[in-house]
Amino acid sequence: MKRVGLYPGTFDPVTMGHMDIIGRSMKLVDELVIGVAVSEAKRPLFLLEERIEMMQEECAQLAGPGRASITVLPFDKLLMHFAEDVGAHIILRGLRAVSDFEYEFQMTAMNEQLNRDIETVFLMADVRHQAVASRLVKEIARFGGDITPFVTPTVKERLLEKYKK
Ligand code: ADP
């Protein structure tokens, strides 16, 4: 049986933290679906299309024989319903600090009531990437700080372009 995993997020923009979790997730599944949430309420800096494009660019580097395949898809519905649509067996989430725990704990508990067959798996990034958050990367970029350690050169370019306008 082909194991399908779903890694959902806003990815506004994709960071080294996300890429770290994606690399680890690929070891656990045969097919990884990256769900890019519309997340209107979060008022993302990047358009959905841009967030998808950036994610596709980054994931293209990870493709190779014997590796899990990656598909990047947008979604705008209940996470559990999207997970069912794509035939996911597990949902992958990253845990940064204690601060993520409360929210993730609640979400997992409620999601489990919606579908008991889909497990949520939590992964931690390498210490170098653990504190990276899209929100902080945007703030640093907005005020002209160096974001080189937190995102890839392509994403860095796009961020600088956004804040130039
Ligand atoms: P959301 O809008 O759901 O918070 P994000 O794009 O911010 O989406 O994050 C997607 C997932 O990646 C979440 O599970 C988040 O906890 C995780 N994540 C983000 N940054 C990191 C990081 N530096 N280390 C580990 N997990 C991370």
Side-chain angles (χ1 to χ4, degrees):
M1 189 179 67
K2 210 166 83 165
R3 296 212 65 83
V4 182
L6 169 64
Y7 179 43
T10 307
F11 308 114
D12 183 41
V14 51
T15 66
M16 295 299 212
H18 296 130
M19 292 317 293
D20 186 306
I21 298 299
I22 290 171
R24 287 167 204 274
S25 301
M26 287 173 77
K27 296 183 200 161
L28 303 177
V29 297
D30 304 303
E31 188 187 333
L32 183 65
V33 177
I34 300 177
V36 183
V38 171
S39 288
E40 236 161 64
K42 284 195 173 180
R43 304 184 35 71
L45 172 68
F46 289 94
L47 298 171
L48 177 67
E49 294 71 27
E50 294 176 309
R51 287 182 277 134
I52 291 175
E53 207 173 273
M54 282 187 275
M55 185 57 95
Q56 276 167 339
E57 280 168 12
E58 299 309 325
C59 291
Q61 331 260 351
L62 303 176
R67 298 223 181 138
S69 63
I70 299 182
T71 319
V72 184
L73 294 175
F75 77 102
D76 192 15
K77 53 166 71 177
L78 259 183
L79 177 62
M80 267 305 169
H81 289 169
F82 182 57
E84 287 162 6
D85 288 352
V86 299
H89 303 95
I90 60 173
I91 291 174
L92 296 134
R93 295 289 290 173
L95 270 188
R96 275 163 293 201
V98 187
S99 53
D100 277 345
F101 182 79
E102 184 72 29
Y103 171 73
E104 297 288 344
F105 173 78
Q106 275 193 330
M107 199 168 79
T108 305
M110 298 201 55
N111 276 340
E112 201 177 89
Q113 310 263 327
L114 299 176
N115 186 331
R116 291 188 189 279
D117 296 327
I118 302 178
E119 290 297 331
T120 304
V121 174
F122 293 96
L123 298 170
M124 268 185 259
D126 185 274
V127 279
R128 284 173 303 146
H129 302 143
Q130 261 173 30
V132 182
S134 298
R135 184 178 57 83
L136 296 175
V137 172
K138 283 181 279 191
E139 208 161 294
I140 296 169
R142 186 154 67 94
F143 291 113
D146 184 19
I147 50 170
T148 312
F150 313 124
V151 292
T152 63
T154 358
V155 174
K156 179 180 164 181
E157 267 319 299
R158 287 203 189 227
L159 267 167
L160 297 182
E161 197 53 43
K162 276 274 176 207
Y163 286 119
K164 238 196 296 178
K165 283 174 194 157

